[in-house]
Amino acid sequence: MLEIFITDLCAYNNGFLIGKWITLPLSGKELYMAISEVLSEGEYACKSDSTHEEIFITDYSWKGKSIFDVEEYDSPWDLNDDVGKLFELSVAQQKAVAFLLSEQFTYDMDDAIQRSDDVIIHENQTLEDVAYCLLQECYELDKLPPIIANHIDYEGVARELDYDGNYFEVDGDVFEYCG
C-alpha cells in the first residue's frame, strides 16, 4: 500500500545516498531487517568509526489513492502500524479515513478509523445530486405537482448544503460528515 525510501542519515551527511525502497505493511522482523541493511550499507560506504543508527524518509509513494502525507522524520514503525490498520479496512472505510485526515477533522489515525462510520460517501455524485436525493427522501418529490417539482432550485439547495459545513466535494464524490 505505501512505499517509503528509507535513507541512512549519517551516510547522507557524509555525501552518500544509501537507502532502500520498502513496501509497508511488513512484519516487525522484516522492517527491522530492512532498516539494519540500510544502516550496514551506510557504515560500509562511509568507512568510518561512527555508528550509523538514524534513518529518515527521503521519498514515499502510495499504491492507489493517497491516504495521508508522510514526513521525512516520521517513524517507519508508526507508519507500518498505521498502514497495517488501514489494510484491514474496507475501501469505503479507507476513503472515509483519508477524508477525515485531509479535511483535518482529526490528525490521529486511530481516531480517524474510529470516526470513519460518521462519514457517508455519495460516490460519483455532485452536491446537486445529493440535494435532489435529500429532497426526494424528505418530501417525496414524485407526489408534488410538476409545476412545483420542476421549479425547485437544486443548485441553490446544493449551495446551502455546502455552506452547512457537513458536505464536502472531493475527487468526484460527496462526503457527508455526521460526527
Side-chain angles (χ1 to χ4, degrees):
M1 277 187 86
L2 174 64
E3 292 181 328
I4 59 173
F5 190 82
I6 54 173
T7 305
D8 179 332
L9 181 61
C10 187
Y12 183 79
N13 289 336
N14 285 301
F16 299 99
L17 182 59
I18 306 294
K20 177 179 185 174
W21 281 102
I22 58 173
T23 302
L24 303 178
L26 293 172
S27 70
K29 184 178 181 178
E30 290 172 318
L31 181 57
Y32 176 80
M33 294 301 290
I35 291 171
S36 295
E37 182 182 323
V38 168
L39 294 174
S40 293
E41 286 180 32
E43 269 187 53
Y44 179 78
C46 290
K47 297 181 175 131
S48 66
D49 294 333
S50 62
T51 305
H52 292 242
E53 52 191 22
E54 292 184 71
I55 59 165
F56 69 105
I57 299 169
T58 315
D59 198 5
Y60 73 96
S61 172
W62 283 96
K63 290 182 181 177
K65 184 129 176 89
S66 175
I67 307 286
F68 56 84
D69 292 328
V70 176
E71 302 295 326
E72 66 183 339
Y73 291 108
D74 282 346
S75 163
W77 300 99
D78 291 344
L79 291 173
N80 193 45
D81 288 343
D82 288 346
V83 172
K85 291 172 189 172
L86 285 171
F87 199 69
E88 296 172 2
L89 301 176
S90 69
V91 173
Q93 286 175 309
Q94 288 177 14
K95 283 177 94 170
V97 166
F99 163 75
L100 290 166
L101 292 170
S102 70
E103 294 297 323
Q104 300 174 349
F105 282 103
T106 184
Y107 298 98
D108 179 66
M109 177 64 66
D110 291 327
D111 189 36
I113 290 170
Q114 193 171 12
R115 290 174 154 191
S116 66
D117 291 337
D118 294 340
V119 177
I120 298 170
I121 304 170
H122 305 274
E123 291 188 330
N124 302 318
Q125 292 188 14
T126 65
L127 270 174
E128 277 189 53
D129 297 332
V130 172
Y132 177 81
C133 290
L134 182 64
L135 290 172
Q136 177 65 33
E137 185 179 301
C138 293
Y139 301 107
E140 298 180 22
L141 296 177
D142 323 5
K143 294 182 180 178
L144 291 176
I147 196 165
I148 295 172
N150 292 338
H151 288 87
I152 295 175
D153 181 13
Y154 297 108
E155 187 177 312
V157 174
R159 198 170 33 257
E160 289 296 322
L161 290 175
D162 186 36
Y163 295 155
D164 182 38
N166 292 328
Y167 293 86
F168 302 84
E169 283 189 277
V170 180
D171 296 332
D173 296 330
V174 175
F175 292 81
E176 179 182 352
Y177 181 60
C178 305

